[in-house]
Amino acid sequence: MDVVIVAESPTPDEPTRDIYFEVKKRGLGVRYVPLQRLSVKIYNGATVVETRRGPLSASVVVIRGLGYVIDSNVLMRRISTLRILEQSGAVAINPVDALVNCRNKLETIYTLSKHGIPVPPTVVTEDLYYGYMAAKEMGKVVLKPIQGSRGFGAMLFEDPEQAFQVMRTLLIARNPLYIQKYVEKPNRDIRIIVIDGRAIGCMYRVSSGWKTNIAQGAVGVACTLTPELEELAVKATDAMGLVYSGVDIGEGREGYAVFEVNASPDWRGFKQATGINPAVHLAEYIQRVVKK
Ligand SMILES: Nc1ncnc2c1ncn2[C@@H]1O[C@H](COP(=O)(O)OP(=O)(O)O)[C@@H](O)[C@H]1O
Ligand SMILES: [Mg+2]
């Protein structure tokens, strides 16, 4: 098989189907496998990753996420399984370590900051008093799940005492605290899709609330890609070690701030807003990798 696409869902979602069909259109062999069906067998010094149908061999494995509601045991197994596949010679898109680092919002913000990319002031801790003091100092703060997406679970506080009560509750439930200064921004942010070192398009995500995820009701509107935005998005994608990404950028009073870099971006809103199907560009890239 040339290309295997994996994700958690038993049936592929729309971006995954887009990739599947664009890859197939180019005459490559392609198969979708849910992560739950990937097993590892270690016998007599040999290791294989296989499904019920037998060993899986692929030039490229496209990983559309590691799963949503999973605990650390399942996450650990999936990461190892995909790493073994990667080490057996399959080119992982995106690379497994990059996917893991993007899933982790602490690792993401640290890596971006280290590469000189502007990010909001952020504190990550398990110390309630430390978190409380940070919330007091920052004023308006956002609390986010350290692993999260689509805006789910992100909360905004203007009152540090309310933040304190929620932080206390989060800690009791064994959640670390991810506390970020609120970036005063217009009723939108910027989403840029980067593929193979190039920004393929750009949209505003316009929203009535402070969260601008499409999943939270925001609407995508195509916008102009400036050289500055393109450079920022490509730099953020490279910093995270990704081949393709969706970069979220806030327009703060003091300039741009990168909120996060998505390693398996949903692009339904982007396709609608811009008329660009990222899968076309990604499939071209995959084709070049397979042909190498
Ligand atoms: N520090 C912040 N200041 C202002 N808005 C924010 C901040 N962090 C997140 N947001 C808003 O919430 C959205 C979701 O946050 P993000 O960090 O991208 O997490 P998710 O993985 O849930 O998409 C962002 O697109 C942005 O609109
Ligand atoms: Mg986001």
Side-chain angles (χ1 to χ4, degrees):
M1 193 58 65
D2 297 314
V3 181
V4 170
I5 309 177
V6 299
E8 184 177 52
S9 168
T11 54
D13 63 6
E14 188 173 316
T16 307
R17 289 199 302 275
D18 290 342
I19 299 169
Y20 182 96
F21 289 116
E22 287 301 326
V23 164
K24 206 179 166 84
K25 240 190 230 173
R26 283 162 179 77
L28 302 176
V30 55
R31 180 177 166 200
Y32 177 76
V33 182
L35 285 164
Q36 298 87 323
R37 299 284 179 174
L38 280 183
S39 306
V40 180
K41 189 157 95 179
I42 303 168
Y43 274 19
N44 307 321
T47 302
V48 284
V49 176
E50 61 179 12
T51 65
R52 291 175 187 173
R53 279 153 64 173
L56 198 73
S57 83
S59 305
V60 169
V61 55
V62 180
I63 308 164
R64 285 291 307 174
L66 299 167
Y68 192 60
V69 187
I70 52 176
D71 79 341
S72 59
N73 294 323
V74 169
L75 181 62
M76 206 183 273
R77 187 203 83 90
R78 290 183 185 173
I79 292 169
S80 296
T81 304
L82 294 168
R83 275 202 186 124
I84 292 167
L85 204 54
E86 203 174 28
Q87 279 181 23
S88 73
V91 177
I93 297 174
N94 277 303
V96 178
D97 285 350
L99 276 163
V100 172
N101 288 340
C102 287
R103 187 184 172 91
N104 176 340
K105 283 189 162 56
L106 168 56
E107 202 71 49
T108 302
I109 224 80
Y110 159 70
T111 305
L112 294 175
S113 175
K114 196 175 65 175
H115 284 81
I117 293 160
V119 294
T122 305
V123 159
V124 186
T125 183
E126 292 178 46
D127 180 338
L128 179 58
Y129 185 71
Y130 190 90
Y132 174 59
M133 293 313 282
K136 274 198 148 168
E137 191 181 296
M138 291 179 186
K140 207 165 161 184
V141 295
V142 177
L143 294 190
K144 290 183 213 178
I146 196 163
Q147 306 179 65
S149 63
R150 295 168 195 262
F152 296 147
M155 296 174 276
L156 178 62
F157 297 91
E158 303 208 28
D159 175 6
E161 307 309 321
Q162 281 183 17
F164 175 90
Q165 285 293 25
V166 172
M167 288 193 281
R168 188 172 166 273
T169 311
L170 285 169
L171 284 169
I172 290 169
R174 301 204 162 276
N175 289 287
L177 308 174
Y178 183 101
I179 308 155
Q180 197 162 67
K181 189 176 169 70
Y182 183 76
V183 176
E184 294 295 343
K185 60 182 197 301
N187 63 336
R188 65 182 193 206
D189 76 351
I190 299 171
R191 162 58 69 89
I192 300 177
I193 302 275
V194 174
I195 298 178
D196 190 22
R198 196 172 70 83
I200 62 155
C202 170
M203 69 170 170
Y204 290 128
R205 298 187 299 180
V206 182
S207 147
S208 51
W210 67 274
K211 283 186 226 177
T212 56
N213 305 77
I214 301 281
Q216 301 284 343
V219 175
V221 179
C223 69
T224 317
L225 199 56
T226 63
E228 187 189 2
L229 276 173
E230 165 145 30
E231 195 192 321
L232 183 60
V234 171
K235 203 171 154 191
T237 306
D238 289 348
M240 296 311 301
L242 299 167
V243 165
Y244 79 103
S245 73
V247 186
D248 297 344
I249 302 172
E251 301 156 279
R253 288 184 184 145
E254 280 125 54
Y256 293 129
V258 175
F259 294 130
E260 63 159 351
V261 182
N262 296 275
S264 320
D266 192 352
W267 55 53
R268 283 170 298 178
F270 180 88
K271 270 200 309 189
Q272 232 169 29
T274 64
I276 300 165
N277 180 2
V280 172
H281 299 267
L282 190 56
E284 276 165 13
Y285 177 80
I286 292 168
Q287 190 174 28
R288 287 202 296 280
V289 174
V290 171
K291 292 273 146 73
K292 256 181 209 164

